[in-house]
Amino acid sequence: MKTESNNQRGFWGSRMGFILAASGSAVGLGNIWKFPYIVGQNGGGAFVLIYLVCIFVIGTPIMLAEFTLGRKTNRNPVGAFDQLKPGSSWTGIGYMGVLAGFFILSFYGVVGGWTFAYVVKSITGSVLAFPSPKEAGEFFGNFIGNTGEVLFYHALFMGTCIAIVLRGIHGGIEKACDVLMPTLVVILFLLMLRSLTLDGAMEGLAFYLTPDFSKINANVILVALGQAFFSLSLGMGCMITYGSYLSDKENLTSCTVYVVIFDTLIALLVGMVIFPAVFAMGLEPTEGPGLVFSVLPTVFASMPMGHGVAVIFFILLAIAAITSGISLLEVVVAYFIDQRGWQRKKAVLIVGSAIFAFGIPSGLSFGVMADVKFLGMNFFDHIDNIASNYLLPLGGMLTAVFVGWVWGTKNAHEEIEKHENEFGFPWAQCWEFLIRYITPVAVGIVFIAKFFPH
Ligand code: TRP
């Protein structure tokens, strides 16, 4: 039996609660903001197909490995590796994860703040006042350059995450996700109905769903793999931490499958909302990061019921950002609770404020600090780059090596099969093969390609 050594830790109240919370972590800005614009930039349907392969062949095995590590040890990422190989340098993967959580939330919180601001600006109608994406883009550029406004909404977003995580696992994170995730699904369906019934929607669907294989090259595959990692919240122990609050009797494999499918369906649905709308309004899908903040408002402005649609779209984006933000905060908080023996309240307040403070230069990176560049990138881009392109793939690869070779798939298998949960032929063999050989090699290739850009 496990010992509840630290009553500050907490637990999930139900299996559904866990699945919603883990899905809440996975479904975020990565799905709604990033996925559509990189699909647009990388040629549509063919990219979607490669992304799906990455999700199932590489992402899914790592997610199961992370859940297993978490539930086995009941610890944050540092504690988890330390418990299985005490005093070894494998603990370093855990430290990297905690650091990555700190870094990612520092800029994720900035973008989360933008989504809050756009909820307000879509209600007042100010984002809808533009005839073309050019003007809407300028409006967006002015807003993210406005120090006072950006910091205000950034603080509001971080304050919301802090308020939820303060209430703990069951009473805070799980309760919030129980309400927010179903709301998100309903909103998404409403948006999809609106989008698909626009004149000219089918052209967008064709771009999105018809693969054109001439568009695929090594870089497209790298982008797809990186996106699979980010979207499933893998590579930094986020799912180790969430798995650590899970009871022994739950079935880890089915939880993994639910979370992966949920995250993937949401990303695919978001595409069904955005591409039909973009094409129906005669706009280009290759806009890039501004797709959601400058192209969509123009689309909304020119479509029937557009004002209401804009408001619910930005609420959707804000909800998705919150349920991911809290998972990032919880990783760092869990480290201080487990390893340093802090009270939850102290840990959340100190860690949350520190992450906010560290995020301030990222928030200012499009305004007063836009010219503060080092190696051609601003502060925001550097933190994003270090965390997403280096720490995450390295963390994911080392986690796979650790579970596949060091702790061993036999031990992992035992943990997965606890309480008569079956993990048999051919799935177990398949997972073992993927986690030992395919995952480390595939992620290694991505990592090297990032390190030595061609
Ligand atoms: N998956 C989230 C998204 O799609 C972001 C996120 C939350 C994340 N926790 C993470 C990414 C851990 C990497 C690692 O927006």
Side-chain angles (χ1 to χ4, degrees), residues 205-291:
L205 268 193
F207 168 80
Y208 182 48
L209 299 177
T210 322
D212 170 1
F213 289 101
S214 67
K215 298 259 169 61
I216 292 177
N217 57 36
N219 200 47
V220 170
I221 298 177
L222 295 185
V223 174
L225 185 52
Q227 172 65 10
F229 256 82
F230 193 85
S231 189
L232 292 175
S233 299
L234 298 176
M236 52 149 282
C238 201
M239 294 308 187
I240 295 180
T241 309
Y242 269 22
S244 77
Y245 305 115
L246 192 58
S247 123
D248 275 355
K249 64 181 195 304
E250 301 299 356
N251 185 325
L252 293 174
T253 47
S254 67
C255 287
T256 304
V257 170
Y258 283 125
V259 176
V260 169
I261 292 196
F262 199 71
D263 183 69
T264 307
L265 280 181
I266 298 282
L268 294 178
L269 282 177
V270 169
M272 307 265 260
V273 172
I274 290 183
F275 294 109
V278 167
F279 277 78
M281 299 300 153
L283 298 169
E284 285 298 316
T286 50
E287 180 66 21
L291 187 63

Side-chain angles (χ1 to χ4, degrees), residues 22-34 51 66 97 100-101 104 108 226-239 263 320-321 323-329 331 387-388 392:
S23 306
S25 168
V27 174
L29 295 167
N31 302 56
I32 306 176
W33 167 59
K34 215 166 172 199
Y51 172 75
E66 286 205 16
I104 294 178
Y108 204 88
Q227 172 65 10
F229 256 82
F230 193 85
S231 189
L232 292 175
S233 299
L234 298 176
M236 52 149 282
C238 201
M239 294 308 187
D263 183 69
T323 56
S324 297
I326 55 184
S327 75
L328 289 159
L329 181 55
V331 173
S388 313
L392 289 186

Side-chain angles (χ1 to χ4, degrees), residues 383-401:
I383 300 299
D384 180 9
N385 184 39
I386 294 170
S388 313
N389 297 342
Y390 296 92
L391 295 176
L392 289 186
L394 189 60
M397 183 179 70
L398 293 174
T399 302
V401 171

Side-chain angles (χ1 to χ4, degrees), residues 101-118:
F102 190 98
F103 277 9
I104 294 178
L105 185 54
S106 78
F107 68 83
Y108 204 88
V110 170
V111 183
W114 297 350
T115 71
F116 274 29
Y118 264 58

Side-chain angles (χ1 to χ4, degrees), residues 100-388:
F102 190 98
F103 277 9
I104 294 178
L105 185 54
S106 78
F107 68 83
Y108 204 88
V110 170
V111 183
W114 297 350
T115 71
F116 274 29
Y118 264 58
V119 170
V120 175
K121 290 171 193 294
S122 60
I123 293 173
T124 64
S126 59
V127 293
L128 297 169
F130 308 104
S132 83
K134 188 169 167 290
E135 288 90 3
E138 276 161 17
F139 176 85
F140 177 60
N142 284 336
F143 158 62
I144 63 176
N146 181 329
T147 304
E149 245 191 322
V150 163
L151 288 185
F152 171 77
Y153 285 110
H154 180 196
L156 204 62
F157 180 86
M158 289 302 297
T160 308
C161 292
I162 288 171
I164 295 173
V165 176
L166 264 182
R167 293 184 167 72
I169 297 304
H170 178 51
I173 298 180
E174 181 172 347
K175 280 228 170 81
C177 292
D178 276 353
V179 179
L180 295 177
M181 294 313 286
T183 310
L184 182 143
V185 174
V186 171
I187 291 180
L188 202 55
F189 266 101
L190 291 176
L191 289 171
M192 189 176 66
L193 288 181
R194 171 66 286 204
S195 210
L196 289 177
T197 49
L198 290 168
D199 279 340
M202 291 309 130
E203 204 190 324
L205 268 193
F207 168 80
Y208 182 48
L209 299 177
T210 322
D212 170 1
F213 289 101
S214 67
K215 298 259 169 61
I216 292 177
N217 57 36
N219 200 47
V220 170
I221 298 177
L222 295 185
V223 174
L225 185 52
Q227 172 65 10
F229 256 82
F230 193 85
S231 189
L232 292 175
S233 299
L234 298 176
M236 52 149 282
C238 201
M239 294 308 187
I240 295 180
T241 309
Y242 269 22
S244 77
Y245 305 115
L246 192 58
S247 123
D248 275 355
K249 64 181 195 304
E250 301 299 356
N251 185 325
L252 293 174
T253 47
S254 67
C255 287
T256 304
V257 170
Y258 283 125
V259 176
V260 169
I261 292 196
F262 199 71
D263 183 69
T264 307
L265 280 181
I266 298 282
L268 294 178
L269 282 177
V270 169
M272 307 265 260
V273 172
I274 290 183
F275 294 109
V278 167
F279 277 78
M281 299 300 153
L283 298 169
E284 285 298 316
T286 50
E287 180 66 21
L291 187 63
V292 159
F293 289 105
S294 49
V295 177
L296 280 190
T298 322
V299 170
F300 295 144
S302 53
M303 87 191 195
M305 304 194 301
H307 193 163
V309 172
V311 174
I312 56 180
F313 176 80
F314 286 110
I315 291 177
L316 170 84
L317 196 60
I319 290 176
I322 293 169
T323 56
S324 297
I326 55 184
S327 75
L328 289 159
L329 181 55
E330 179 61 26
V331 173
V332 189
V333 165
Y335 165 75
F336 283 99
I337 292 176
D338 294 346
Q339 306 305 112
R340 305 288 171 118
W342 289 12
Q343 297 285 312
R344 173 167 286 273
K345 191 170 167 201
K346 173 179 167 191
V348 175
L349 291 176
I350 293 182
V351 168
S353 314
I355 294 178
F356 169 69
F358 187 74
I360 291 174
S362 285
L364 304 183
S365 287
F366 306 93
V368 290
M369 285 179 61
D371 294 325
V372 184
K373 287 194 174 162
F374 176 65
L375 298 174
M377 284 194 286
N378 63 29
F379 192 85
F380 183 107
D381 295 333
H382 271 296
I383 300 299
D384 180 9
N385 184 39
I386 294 170
S388 313

